[in-house]
Amino acid sequence: MRPPYLLLDVDGVLIPFPAADGSTPATHTCHDVVPEGRNADNPVTVWLNPEHSRLLLDVISTGLFTPVWCTSWRQDAATLIGPLLGLPDLPYVDLPRLQITTSQPDGYLWKRDHVDGWLGDIPAVWIDDDFSGLDHEWAVERTTKGSATLLIQPDPDLGLVPDHLTLVSAWARQPLTARAA
Ligand SMILES: [Mg+2]
């Protein structure tokens, strides 16, 4: 049986939202990156927590998941963000470029329709800060149909914390029948 996917968002998860005064968390280190198609003299500043490197590597190295970027950073997550965290070269979901002004244009996460088809019937843990109630219902429905699905939703002001990855590891070690959305 194929291992579950581990879908990983970047903004609001690895890069928490800045504080109201624009400051970034003391736990995170700032880096300037130049996403594909952007001028080198106009970089984007990101802030990453070196501690996330160890936490993610611990989960990835279990071999219990197929980790995949699932973020509007698309290939830039693989080429820019991953290396800054010392992560191996991970594939990414090539999300569609929708003309949207909100992350939940139809009441649920804009990524979901594409991800749903992309996953097929493979079980998945999906870490994203932007799920709605409808996404959680989708996860329950998928699980009921035999494709165990766990949504992990960090607070975007805090981003990913160790407890999230503890949950991910615990889920993967459960018998298939015990996995609940
Ligand atoms: Mg996000």
Side-chain angles (χ1 to χ4, degrees), residues 9 11-12 128-129:
D9 184 27
D11 292 317
D128 197 292
D129 60 302

Side-chain angles (χ1 to χ4, degrees), residues 9-78:
D9 184 27
V10 172
D11 292 317
V13 174
L14 298 184
I15 307 175
F17 292 177
D21 65 0
S23 64
T24 57
T27 45
H28 287 54
T29 308
C30 286
H31 310 266
D32 282 347
V33 298
V34 182
E36 182 75 28
R38 199 173 169 101
N39 283 332
D41 58 3
N42 189 23
V44 176
T45 302
V46 299
W47 40 96
L48 295 167
N49 185 345
E51 184 69 8
H52 283 162
S53 175
R54 184 184 61 78
L55 292 169
L56 290 168
L57 283 171
D58 280 353
V59 171
I60 291 170
S61 66
T62 63
L64 293 170
F65 297 96
T66 303
V68 184
W69 296 109
C70 186
T71 160
S72 55
W73 284 80
R74 298 181 185 82
Q75 76 273 20
D76 290 321

Side-chain angles (χ1 to χ4, degrees), residues 107-126:
Y108 58 93
L109 182 59
W110 66 275
K111 303 170 184 174
R112 198 185 89 204
D113 287 334
H114 185 82
V115 166
D116 188 50
W118 189 90
L119 287 173
D121 58 2
I122 306 292
V125 175
W126 188 355

Side-chain angles (χ1 to χ4, degrees), residues 86-169:
L87 301 182
D89 190 14
L90 304 179
Y92 65 95
V93 181
D94 197 11
L95 294 166
R97 295 177 187 273
L98 307 179
Q99 297 299 312
I100 51 175
T101 53
T102 158
S103 59
Q104 299 169 353
D106 297 307
Y108 58 93
L109 182 59
W110 66 275
K111 303 170 184 174
R112 198 185 89 204
D113 287 334
H114 185 82
V115 166
D116 188 50
W118 189 90
L119 287 173
D121 58 2
I122 306 292
V125 175
W126 188 355
I127 306 178
D128 197 292
D129 60 302
D130 234 347
F131 297 120
S132 76
L134 291 177
D135 295 310
H136 289 280
E137 287 177 20
W138 167 83
V140 171
E141 196 174 315
R142 238 180 142 255
T143 301
T144 305
K145 289 179 179 166
S147 302
T149 305
L150 175 70
L151 303 185
I152 302 273
Q153 187 165 10
D155 176 341
D157 291 322
L158 299 173
L160 190 71
V161 297
D163 282 355
H164 293 132
L165 294 169
T166 303
L167 279 174
V168 169
S169 296

